[in-house]
Amino acid sequence: QVQLVESGGGLVQSGGSLRLSCAASGITVDAYAIGWVRQAPGKSREAVACISSSDGRTDYSSDSVKGRFTISRDNAKNTVYLQMNSLKPEDTAVYYCATALGLFRTTLDLEEFDYWGQGTQVVVSP
């Protein structure tokens, strides 16, 4: 059974950094594409970043996170990370990792994800 468990969220000041972790079980993190999705208060979920399976290609959702967020993985630890730098109050959200069996390329389409973690809260204070 596929399980994804996020950790690493917390309260940080504007301009600070956090590294989120997504520990996988039931799959290896290089077998399928894995993405990070966030949901800000009162808003819909939005994909933030995704990493493909075999070649580790990455994709980011918008200019607002490009250059600040980096998705990566550690196959030995079976974990995908989201390094977030220069955080802004608008980055405040619950962050989820997600994947789907048979998904190999990067995607920012939420409907392509079948398995989701429980989420980790990130709060960025002004």
Side-chain angles (χ1 to χ4, degrees):
Q1 183 176 356
V2 178
Q3 286 192 324
L4 303 171
V5 179
E6 303 93 337
S7 62
L11 174 63
V12 64
Q13 289 187 333
S14 182
S17 298
L18 282 175
R19 188 178 77 160
L20 306 183
S21 299
C22 172
S25 60
I27 59 168
T28 58
V29 293
D30 60 346
Y32 304 105
I34 295 180
W36 283 97
V37 176
R38 68 184 179 185
Q39 185 167 21
K43 296 187 177 181
S44 302
R45 290 187 180 186
E46 64 166 342
V48 174
C50 190
I51 185 167
S52 67
S53 57
S54 58
D55 62 5
R57 180 172 297 187
T58 59
D59 195 9
Y60 299 90
S61 62
S62 66
D63 290 340
S64 66
V65 302
K66 288 179 181 177
R68 297 192 300 123
F69 290 10
T70 303
I71 187 171
S72 64
R73 66 178 178 225
D74 184 331
N75 294 342
K77 295 183 178 180
N78 212 33
T79 299
V80 173
Y81 302 100
L82 185 68
Q83 178 68 44
M84 305 186 295
N85 299 327
S86 302
L87 283 162
K88 305 174 182 180
E90 52 262 44
D91 295 318
T92 294
V94 178
Y95 285 73
Y96 303 87
C97 59
T99 190
L101 302 184
L103 179 64
F104 304 110
R105 54 169 173 74
T106 60
T107 183
L108 298 174
D109 183 349
L110 301 183
E111 293 186 0
E112 295 201 70
F113 295 121
D114 293 329
Y115 295 93
W116 296 76
Q118 84 289 349
T120 186
Q121 176 74 57
V122 172
V123 177
V124 184
S125 63

